[in-house]
Amino acid sequence: MTSQQYIVKSLNRGITETFTYGKKIYQSAIKKQSVKDPLFLSKLGLVGDEQAYEHHGGENKALCLYPYDYYDHWRNMFKNMVEAALFGENLTVVGLTEDKAHIGDIFSFGEAIIQVSEPRNPCYKLAAKYEVPDLILKVRNTGYTGFLLRVLKEGMVSASDYLTLIEPHPQQVSVSLVNDLKFHDRFNPEKLNKVLQVKELSESLRNALKEQFESGKKNGWG
């Protein structure tokens, strides 16, 4: 196995359920289950994988990937730790961390071709799932967010398939760099310009980053 090929620890999908967190009642498909059989991956994601809200899906957010490398980091923090789809991700992958993944990188995955589009945005549902109120802040501070991908070519995929980097993006803007701009070094014009030059960055995040910079106010990021 080359350094540009990554093991899929699990392939995960879920259905929308209703949950209660404090006084909040919400719907989510965050409690995904690992699937051994091959699944069809369409432009909108894995067949049978549901999204509770429109902004959680779409062609630029067809798949969510989370590195298995971080599972041990969170293990002692969660009293109800799970070993599959820890953060509700579709793909749990070994070794493909935010510093190694770049916006626009293209991977083969089974019959499908997928492309990195933006970092995953941590939301309150993670905190609710594990009953850790400040989990969103912890995820942002570590940079252990995971990231989202679009589907360039549909096809059958399975947990036994590798993710293979077939076309690294020439501008090499890592997911880690985008996270830093998004959450920390928010008003750095050089960094913003470098990120915005990558045309493969999702349009929604592009607009949000520009709005944050131009307004001079921190974006709450949901």
Side-chain angles (χ1 to χ4, degrees):
M1 186 172 68
T2 71
S3 60
Q4 294 180 314
Q5 197 172 58
Y6 301 90
I7 294 172
V8 176
K9 184 75 173 178
S10 66
L11 179 67
N12 316 301
R13 66 177 177 182
I15 60 172
T16 301
E17 302 176 71
T18 300
F19 301 93
T20 301
Y21 181 54
K23 296 182 179 180
K24 185 185 290 288
I25 298 175
Y26 66 96
Q27 290 188 313
S28 176
I30 197 170
K31 288 192 175 181
K32 301 188 187 299
Q33 302 295 319
S34 61
V35 180
K36 300 299 182 185
D37 296 332
L39 295 174
F40 184 73
L41 177 60
S42 77
K43 294 280 188 179
L44 295 178
L46 294 168
V47 166
D49 185 52
E50 297 182 357
Q51 303 289 344
Y53 299 101
E54 184 178 353
H55 64 271
H56 281 179
E59 292 193 3
N60 286 318
K61 304 178 182 181
L63 285 174
C64 177
L65 183 152
Y66 199 75
Y68 184 70
D69 309 57
Y70 304 145
Y71 272 48
D72 280 345
H73 173 84
W74 303 111
R75 195 173 302 281
N76 293 331
M77 194 180 305
F78 300 158
K79 60 185 178 183
N80 51 345
M81 175 85 179
V82 297
E83 294 299 328
L86 179 68
F87 277 11
E89 70 270 14
N90 302 113
L91 290 170
T92 309
V93 177
V94 179
L96 186 53
T97 51
E98 293 83 357
D99 58 329
K100 295 179 181 176
H102 305 88
I103 305 300
D105 280 354
I106 298 175
F107 296 83
S108 65
F109 177 38
E111 296 177 349
I113 304 294
I114 58 180
Q115 182 180 53
V116 179
S117 58
E118 65 172 276
R120 190 258 185 86
N121 189 51
C123 71
Y124 73 88
K125 294 176 184 179
L126 293 178
K129 180 178 181 180
Y130 293 109
E131 300 178 5
V132 179
D134 63 345
L135 182 57
I136 296 173
L137 183 61
K138 292 180 185 298
V139 172
R140 291 175 180 175
N141 287 343
T142 58
Y144 298 168
T145 60
F147 50 92
L148 304 174
L149 303 105
R150 62 175 62 90
V151 177
L152 302 181
K153 177 189 173 188
E154 300 178 332
M156 298 300 295
V157 298
S158 75
S160 63
D161 295 321
Y162 292 112
L163 252 64
T164 303
L165 181 63
I166 58 175
E167 191 175 329
H169 195 273
Q171 288 167 272
Q172 295 286 283
V173 171
S174 69
V175 173
S176 291
L177 181 79
V178 180
N179 272 333
D180 185 52
L181 175 66
K182 184 177 177 181
F183 297 128
H184 306 294
D185 198 10
R186 302 169 191 250
F187 306 111
N188 183 318
E190 292 80 14
K191 193 172 291 184
L192 176 68
N193 184 58
K194 183 174 182 178
V195 170
L196 295 185
Q197 283 182 0
V198 182
K199 63 182 180 61
E200 291 82 2
L201 182 71
S202 69
E203 196 64 25
S204 60
L205 182 55
R206 176 185 303 278
N207 292 336
L209 290 171
K210 288 167 65 177
E211 180 182 348
Q212 176 175 255
F213 182 83
E214 291 168 0
S215 70
K217 298 178 181 178
K218 294 181 179 180
N219 190 311
W221 304 109

